[in-house]
Amino acid sequence: MSAQSALVPAGTRALGLGFTGNLGNIDAYISAVNRLPMLSHEEEVSLAKSLQDKNDLDAAQKLVMSHLRLVVSIARGYLGYGLPHADLIQEGNIGLMKAVKRFDPNQGVRLVSYAMHWIKAEMHEYILKNWRLVKVATTKAQRKLFFNLRSNKVGLDAMSPQQVADMAQMLGVKREEVVEMETRLSGRDIALEAPTDDEDDKFSPIAYLSSDQQEPTKVLEANDVVRLQSEGIETALGKLDPRSRRIVEARWLANDDGSGATLHTLAEEFGVSAERIRQIETAALKKMKTALAAYV
């Protein structure tokens, strides 16, 4: 179901919202809601009390339907963010229904005034979630600055120091906060990887990222390996007797490719059996392992 054909979310059909017939597009929807009758103050209070006291869903439906044009009007003011008009209206309708649910007719306030806060809140949340892949405003203060800066900034050029100072004073925030938010607003989303086509001039940030070998934990691991290979192994070899050291070095440290002397070659050199050389090697490696424990 498209956004345009589901401007009133399916989850709210308990209120009886929705139109019969095929509205087809956003213009037809707007035309339909503008033809819905508005309520007098007395009718609004009566319906609101019926909903409050009796949980009258028919009353809730009439309250919502009579204010759908308000949502359309508010949504029109946020079209500059480049998001679908239908989606903005749908989010605003959610805010309207929340307002109707919480509206207290005994406070002496018209529903239109009360509902504006809820409608805008839902639209703001939708805009902040969908305007950019990366959130530009997360705290309440940043959200306020985001919308005020968007509506008050003149032109697309960077703000001058005086304009920044004036904006900060008008919004009651620090100059640094205005500069930071303007920088976020002026940026744009860039795909990490280049598009899958044959053009060679496409910018691909992933190609310029540093190797993961420079990641701090990997650097520390590499330094530990170097220290272990140099200082640690030399210390461990120093714990061995000359014959054991000769066997370990000939078997494991003679060549970089790991192709050391065979047991039989060393057996001939020392005049013992190959099995004896293996036993000496095993004991020497265990002793070295104990010495290397301090370097791991």
Side-chain angles (χ1 to χ4, degrees):
M1 183 180 294
S2 67
Q4 290 181 347
S5 63
L7 289 171
V8 179
T12 62
R13 290 179 182 172
L15 292 178
L17 297 180
F19 297 99
T20 58
N22 180 19
L23 294 180
N25 56 56
I26 185 65
D27 292 330
Y29 173 84
I30 293 175
S31 177
V33 299
N34 285 334
R35 291 196 301 269
L36 292 173
M38 299 182 67
L39 300 175
S40 66
H41 187 198
E42 293 74 17
E43 291 174 326
E44 179 181 297
V45 171
S46 175
L47 290 170
K49 287 184 176 179
S50 182
L51 172 62
Q52 187 180 61
D53 299 335
K54 305 175 185 178
N55 194 29
D56 185 350
L57 294 185
D58 288 335
Q61 176 187 346
K62 292 178 181 179
L63 288 169
V64 171
M65 300 287 273
S66 64
H67 288 79
L68 289 176
R69 67 180 67 196
L70 173 64
V71 176
V72 172
S73 176
I74 294 175
R76 193 175 294 117
Y78 293 102
L79 292 179
Y81 292 95
L83 296 171
H85 193 187
D87 289 348
L88 287 168
I89 293 175
Q90 177 169 285
E91 296 300 319
N93 286 345
I94 295 174
L96 172 60
M97 285 181 280
K98 289 181 178 180
V100 168
K101 181 179 179 180
R102 294 168 173 80
F103 180 60
D104 184 356
N106 299 314
Q107 295 297 321
V109 179
R110 291 298 300 266
L111 177 58
V112 63
S113 300
Y114 180 76
M116 287 182 67
H117 164 76
W118 291 93
I119 295 170
K120 288 184 177 181
E122 291 296 326
M123 290 185 186
H124 287 184
E125 188 70 22
Y126 168 73
I127 291 169
L128 291 172
K129 285 182 178 179
N130 295 277
W131 191 62
R132 288 280 175 81
L133 291 176
V134 179
K135 290 186 178 180
V136 295
T138 54
T139 66
K140 183 177 180 180
Q142 287 176 340
R143 294 182 181 196
K144 179 180 178 181
L145 179 57
F146 171 84
F147 288 103
N148 279 286
L149 190 60
R150 283 272 303 183
S151 60
N152 288 284
K153 182 180 177 182
V154 179
L156 299 177
D157 296 333
M159 299 173 66
S160 66
Q162 184 59 47
Q163 289 175 321
V164 170
D166 293 342
M167 185 70 70
Q169 183 177 6
M170 181 178 67
L171 300 179
V173 297
K174 297 179 181 178
R175 296 177 57 178
E176 294 77 8
E177 294 175 320
V178 175
V179 173
E180 180 184 0
M181 184 56 68
E182 184 192 23
T183 302
R184 295 185 184 185
L185 289 173
S186 62
R188 62 186 181 90
D189 294 326
I190 300 176
L192 185 62
E193 297 181 350
T196 55
D197 52 35
D198 296 330
E199 297 185 35
D200 296 330
D201 59 348
K202 293 292 185 181
F203 176 75
S204 176
I206 198 170
Y208 299 90
L209 295 178
S210 60
S211 168
D212 62 357
Q213 295 301 318
Q214 299 304 315
E215 198 270 329
T217 58
K218 291 186 178 296
V219 172
L220 292 174
E221 289 175 1
N223 291 340
D224 287 341
V225 170
V226 171
R227 187 165 64 92
L228 186 63
Q229 289 177 338
S230 56
E231 178 184 346
I233 292 179
E234 185 60 35
T235 299
L237 287 171
K239 302 290 185 180
L240 304 178
D241 60 82
R243 183 173 65 171
S244 296
R245 177 166 182 162
R246 163 64 184 151
I247 291 174
V248 170
E249 288 179 338
R251 289 276 290 159
W252 300 101
L253 303 176
N255 300 315
D256 293 335
D257 60 2
S259 58
T262 65
L263 294 174
H264 292 285
T265 300
L266 291 171
E268 293 179 3
E269 179 180 337
F270 289 102
V272 296
S273 66
E275 175 60 21
R276 179 56 182 156
I277 294 296
R278 188 192 66 77
Q279 293 172 354
I280 295 173
E281 176 190 31
T282 300
L285 291 176
K286 287 183 179 180
K287 193 171 185 178
M288 288 183 66
K289 182 178 180 181
T290 301
L292 287 171
Y295 294 88
V296 177

